[in-house]
Amino acid sequence: QVQLAESGGGLVQAGGSLRLSCPASGRTFSSRAMGWFRQAPGKERGFVAGISSSGLNTYYADSVKGRFTISRDNAKDTVYLQMNSLKPEDTAVYYCAAQPIIRGSGTYNYTVSHDYEYWGQGTQVTVSS
């Protein structure tokens, strides 16, 4: 029902910035919470940021708080991740993900990868020192 296509990754020096984009296909984007995860070599996939379906609520991993900003434009069916003050430890493949549509009293955790229904293919971010 939903296809995600991340873009915007690349090579940047420490202290620099990148903006990742994740346009979504389908007509249910505005009803889904969205998230960004990342996976570095030899590490498990970890939570980076999440945003509610309305865009009014955002959540961040402690390691990126104050440096990264997640946002969404429901009119364009796109979620973004603005990354500032990048560090070498931010180097990873970044994935965009969409949660199921919430009906009734159902709840999902932004930080748990298993709670996301759809995933993009990932985009590489490399930060040099």
Side-chain angles (χ1 to χ4, degrees):
Q1 291 182 297
V2 177
Q3 291 187 345
L4 307 173
E6 307 96 325
S7 64
L11 176 64
V12 65
Q13 293 184 344
S17 299
L18 284 174
R19 190 192 194 202
L20 307 184
S21 298
C22 180
S25 66
R27 291 175 285 182
T28 61
F29 174 80
S30 63
S31 298
R32 301 175 184 273
M34 302 291 295
W36 287 94
F37 288 74
R38 65 186 182 185
Q39 187 168 23
K43 302 290 186 180
E44 293 187 343
R45 185 175 299 181
F47 171 75
V48 176
I51 188 168
S52 62
S53 59
S54 67
L56 295 177
N57 301 305
T58 57
Y59 309 86
Y60 299 94
D62 288 341
S63 59
V64 307
K65 194 172 300 181
R67 300 188 297 120
F68 291 10
T69 301
I70 187 172
S71 62
R72 67 190 296 162
D73 185 343
N74 286 347
K76 297 181 178 180
D77 289 353
T78 302
V79 63
Y80 305 93
L81 185 67
Q82 178 67 47
M83 305 184 294
N84 299 325
S85 301
L86 283 162
K87 305 174 181 179
E89 48 263 48
D90 295 319
T91 295
V93 176
Y94 283 71
Y95 297 90
C96 177
Q99 289 193 343
I101 298 173
I102 296 177
R103 299 185 184 279
S105 60
T107 59
Y108 298 95
N109 192 324
Y110 285 101
T111 69
V112 177
S113 61
H114 190 263
D115 282 3
Y116 289 79
E117 185 176 12
Y118 299 100
W119 293 83
Q121 294 298 308
T123 184
Q124 177 71 48
V125 172
T126 303
V127 184
S128 63
S129 61

